[in-house]
Amino acid sequence: MADHETDDGHGGSSGDGHGGSGSGHRGGDGGDRGERRLSTREAAERLGVKPETVYAYVSRGQLTSRRAPGGRGSTFDAKEVDALARRGARREPLPANGDLAFRTGITLIDKGRCYFRGVDTTELADRYGYEEVADWLWTGLLRPGVRFSAPEEALAAARRAVDALPAHSSPLDRLRVAVVAAASADPLRFDLSEDAVLGTARALIPVLVDALPRLEDGTDCTSAPLPRRLWSRLTGERPDDASLRALDAALVLLIDHDLASSTLAARVAASARAHPYAVVSAGFGALDGPLHGAASSLTHRMLLEVLERGSAAAVVADHLRAGRRVPGLGHRVYPGEDPRARTLFRLLEDVPQAGPALQAARDVVATITRHHALHANVDLALAVLTVSAGMTAEAGENVFAVARTAGWIAHALEEYEERPMRMRPSGHYQGPRPPQPLP
């Protein structure tokens, strides 16, 4: 099993000075006397939390309370409670055999399907573009035709930084440098209010794309859809509509995938109230490895070898003989085929030049399934796209990193509403017991 996930709602803040959503405790009988009031127990049931957690929301400014008539307990505005539930108020973490677990309203993987906010990701990829789905994931509102644009100052800083790197720099090297440069050009990056974070997200993603070296001849059009601009950074070949459609769908499908290692890193940074640029940088740091972000490049090279040798069996045999996993196969959360791969394969069937790479991928799956119950994952489908378009082996890393940036921002928006610095595990010390002699 070797793919991007092998380790594998929003708003203001948690009342720590970044603009909470409430005004604190309200005593007395103020407010609209006709409003529907809930008891503490009723509010807890609607939110799916313990009663003491309801009071924690009050102390963080996320709910307002009022003393019940006669001074017995507190009451809460039903509309305000429901709004908090829609924003993603988390239930208490579930015990998971000692594993770290978080309540989240972003991604659900269930019965072989993947959902964003309850909507099947394959349906989203079929119907909407990357920018539309990313914006909807952040806000809950769909804006058809939305386009993200890069601020001139941030883009200029990012391009200068990327151009200064050695020619052999990896895609993630360029993206990491670009995000740091963009942050340095934004003096308001420490504003963690919801509107400010959304503005940062809509500006940062196009900066990451437009700061990459352009490979395709022609003039840059910064008003074009983001997948079209990304294409020109991945290959010198001009795309057809079907190829762009497949790339756009890949970006949508890869936006998020529950708490993969890079997403957990991003949430830890957000828990420490790092600004969005730093959150994305944390995600890039965890992404840069063969078990996560670089998995697609391994699959790309394998497909090229299958095409060159004309035999999937020989290539698979070489991997097994060397004790290596065959890339692009298997996923720990899907008992069958990765639904993201299934969607991409279907779209790639409409790309004429993808035929040979598609056949090579099918041969790999057919060869390995003679003895192992493994299915194609999204890395294999992404490799078909990158190979058929004449992209470099690292192009899939760019696609994955740009796509996942939107997911990291969504998780940051959730985490900014949680208690800060809540991710503080304790170390289990295994060293020599003190006192020890001074070395």
Side-chain angles (χ1 to χ4, degrees):
M1 176 180 65
D3 79 346
H4 286 302
E5 318 291 349
T6 50
D7 64 352
D8 23 291
H10 323 305
S13 75
S14 58
D16 60 333
H18 299 299
S21 58
S23 57
H25 181 89
R26 280 188 314 193
D29 295 323
D32 181 2
R33 295 180 182 273
E35 65 193 358
R36 169 83 169 94
R37 306 296 297 180
L38 302 175
S39 68
T40 302
R41 180 183 57 78
E42 290 171 330
E45 289 176 352
R46 289 202 184 190
L47 293 169
V49 300
K50 298 176 182 177
E52 53 264 32
T53 304
V54 174
Y55 290 107
Y57 288 139
V58 173
S59 67
R60 297 204 299 260
Q62 293 176 276
L63 278 180
T64 53
S65 65
R66 184 191 309 162
R67 299 300 296 175
R72 297 172 61 86
S74 299
T75 64
F76 303 87
D77 181 359
K79 291 182 179 179
E80 191 177 42
V81 171
D82 289 341
L84 178 59
R86 287 193 299 271
R87 290 202 304 274
R90 256 67 61 206
R91 302 167 186 259
E92 280 75 20
L94 290 174
N97 299 322
D99 293 336
L100 196 61
F102 299 103
R103 296 286 186 176
T104 175
I106 299 172
T107 299
L108 171 67
I109 300 171
D110 183 51
K111 298 178 181 178
R113 307 301 290 267
C114 181
Y115 305 88
F116 292 161
R117 301 206 178 283
V119 181
D120 194 310
T121 55
T122 61
E123 294 180 15
L124 288 167
D126 281 337
R127 181 72 180 271
Y128 300 110
Y130 171 72
E131 291 157 288
E132 294 170 322
V133 174
D135 202 75
W136 166 78
L137 195 65
W138 299 331
T139 66
L141 300 175
L142 184 71
R143 298 193 296 158
V146 65
R147 294 283 182 268
F148 298 159
S149 59
E152 291 185 8
E153 185 177 359
L155 179 56
R159 282 176 168 166
R160 286 193 300 269
V162 169
D163 290 345
L165 291 175
H168 64 265
S169 299
S170 72
L172 278 177
D173 289 337
R174 295 187 171 95
L175 292 174
R176 278 199 301 263
V177 165
V179 73
V180 171
S184 68
D186 183 2
L188 302 181
R189 61 187 179 275
F190 297 102
D191 184 350
L192 301 187
S193 64
E194 181 180 7
D195 288 344
V197 173
L198 290 173
T200 296
R202 293 170 183 140
L204 175 58
I205 292 176
V207 165
L208 295 178
V209 171
D210 295 340
L212 295 172
R214 182 181 171 88
L215 303 179
E216 182 188 338
D217 292 335
T219 305
D220 228 353
C221 180
T222 56
S223 62
L226 190 136
R228 179 65 183 88
R229 286 141 60 192
L230 179 59
W231 180 279
S232 68
R233 270 76 183 173
L234 302 176
T235 178
E237 297 183 11
R238 296 191 66 82
D240 52 44
D241 289 343
S243 297
L244 282 178
R245 183 73 195 89
L247 175 60
D248 202 357
L251 288 166
V252 171
L253 294 167
L254 292 169
I255 284 177
D256 192 55
H257 207 233
D258 199 24
L259 285 174
S261 57
S262 59
T263 304
L264 177 59
R267 286 199 79 127
V268 170
S271 178
R273 295 304 182 259
H275 54 71
Y277 301 95
V279 167
V280 172
S281 292
F284 283 153
L287 193 65
D288 194 6
L291 299 181
H292 198 18
S296 64
S297 64
L298 302 176
T299 313
H300 177 107
R301 292 185 176 95
M302 179 192 67
L303 277 189
L304 283 180
E305 188 177 358
V306 171
L307 291 171
E308 291 168 0
R309 298 176 64 175
S311 170
V315 175
V316 169
D318 285 349
H319 276 77
L320 297 178
R321 185 180 299 115
R324 299 190 303 264
R325 291 177 175 174
V326 180
L329 298 172
H331 199 296
R332 66 182 295 179
V333 302
Y334 298 118
E337 187 178 35
D338 185 335
R340 302 168 299 172
R342 186 166 54 246
T343 299
L344 273 184
F345 282 140
R346 172 171 51 81
L347 292 172
L348 288 164
E349 289 174 356
D350 296 330
V351 179
Q353 65 270 27
L358 266 174
Q359 185 57 48
R362 290 176 178 136
D363 288 347
V364 169
V365 175
T367 299
I368 200 70
T369 52
R370 294 174 191 172
H371 303 288
H372 300 280
L374 293 175
H375 300 268
N377 62 43
V378 73
D379 293 309
L380 190 60
L382 187 58
V384 170
L385 172 63
T386 58
V387 167
S388 62
M391 299 177 185
T392 66
E394 293 77 20
E397 295 182 47
N398 272 334
V399 176
F400 186 86
V402 170
R404 192 53 59 91
T405 298
W408 295 332
I409 295 294
H411 280 274
L413 284 163
E414 276 196 339
E415 193 59 41
Y416 288 150
E417 288 201 346
E418 295 284 0
R419 174 175 54 84
M421 298 297 291
R422 68 192 181 110
M423 301 181 198
R424 182 61 171 85
S426 298
H428 185 59
Y429 182 69
Q430 298 287 308
R433 301 304 303 174
Q436 293 290 319
L438 184 67

